[in-house]
Amino acid sequence: MPWCRDKAIVRQAMARELPNQILRRRKTPVAGSPDFERVKSSGLPRPVVVPELRKYVDPDKITLVPRTPMELRRALRPLGLNYWLHGFGAGRTGGFQ
C-alpha cells in the first residue's frame, strides 16, 4: 500500500500547510518501546478474571510488572483474552480493576 509508506497520506494532506523542508524530511524511528517504558513505571492493571479464562490460562502466572519488552508481550496475550471474554457475559463491562 504505497499511500501508507513514508507518511504519504499525511504529507499530501498537509502539502499546503507545511514547508517543503518539513514535508520531505525522512521519518525518525522511535527509540525503544514506548509501551514498555510506560508499563515499567506503573505496571499493568490487575484483571478481573472471568471464569472462562481459567480454561486457557492460570491467572496467577500473569506478570503484571514486566521486566522486559518480551515479558510485556507475553502478559498482554492473556490480559487481552480476558478482556475479550468479558464481552461475552451478560452485563459485564471492562475487564480490569
Side-chain angles (χ1 to χ4, degrees), residues 18-94:
L18 295 173
N20 270 344
Q21 181 182 8
I22 302 294
L23 289 171
R24 303 280 179 233
R25 70 182 174 196
R26 297 182 56 87
K27 290 171 57 173
T28 305
V30 175
S33 169
D35 294 331
F36 176 64
E37 294 303 319
R38 185 172 40 253
V39 169
K40 189 168 64 170
S41 63
S42 59
L44 290 165
R46 182 164 303 285
V48 177
V49 176
V50 295
E52 295 89 347
L53 183 69
R54 295 182 189 280
K55 294 178 189 176
Y56 310 102
V57 176
D58 180 354
D60 297 328
K61 292 187 177 181
I62 299 172
T63 302
L64 297 179
V65 183
R67 294 171 296 185
T68 66
M70 186 56 80
E71 278 188 11
L72 173 60
R73 289 179 63 186
R74 267 187 251 130
L76 289 176
R77 290 180 184 131
L79 292 174
L81 176 60
N82 187 63
Y83 185 79
W84 184 76
L85 289 169
H86 264 276
F88 288 103
R92 293 182 180 161
T93 58

